[in-house]
């Protein structure tokens, strides 16, 4: 039943009904964590940032393979790894904090 719409009759759920959701961490500007009332309805799995070069290569290739015939995977992975290294050692934002940099950015 959709209580927001004013419904009072339940809609039967199929016994095999499943809901899958995913969310990037709320570390970027403007993102917020889900409210606890929504979060506690899910089982959470945290997937750590990819750092292994082969894993990064595979991820970038899978993401880009349909976008262009020969994606520059090696260049993207190299740039990403260098940018991550700079973010950890040399870069600071206007608040003198290290920036959060990920493949999602």
């Amino acid at each position: 039943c959709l209580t927001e719409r004013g419904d009072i009759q339940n809609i039967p759920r199929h016994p095999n009904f499943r809901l899958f959701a995913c969310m990037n961490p709320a570390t970027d500007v403007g993102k917020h964590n889900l409210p606890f009332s929504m979060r506690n309805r899910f089982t959470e799995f945290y997937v750590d940032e990819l750092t292994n070069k082969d894993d990064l290569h595979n991820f970038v290739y899978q993401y880009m393979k349909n976008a262009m015939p020969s994606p520059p995977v090696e260049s993207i992975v190299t740039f990403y790894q260098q940018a991550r290294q700079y973010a950890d050692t040399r870069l600071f934002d206007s608040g003198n904090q290290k920036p959060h940099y990920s493949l999602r950015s």
Side-chain angles (χ1 to χ4, degrees), residues 60-100:
V60 170
Y61 176 74
Q62 292 300 321
Y63 185 80
M64 305 261 328
K65 70 180 180 181
N66 294 325
M68 58 183 66
S70 298
V73 174
E74 189 63 35
S75 297
I76 292 170
V77 169
T78 300
F79 169 77
Y80 172 73
Q81 289 181 314
Q82 288 175 346
R84 280 291 303 248
Q85 182 181 9
Y86 287 165
D88 288 341
T89 60
R90 300 181 187 180
L91 301 177
F92 295 94
D93 65 14
S94 60
N96 206 26
Q97 301 292 315
K98 289 183 180 182
H100 177 80

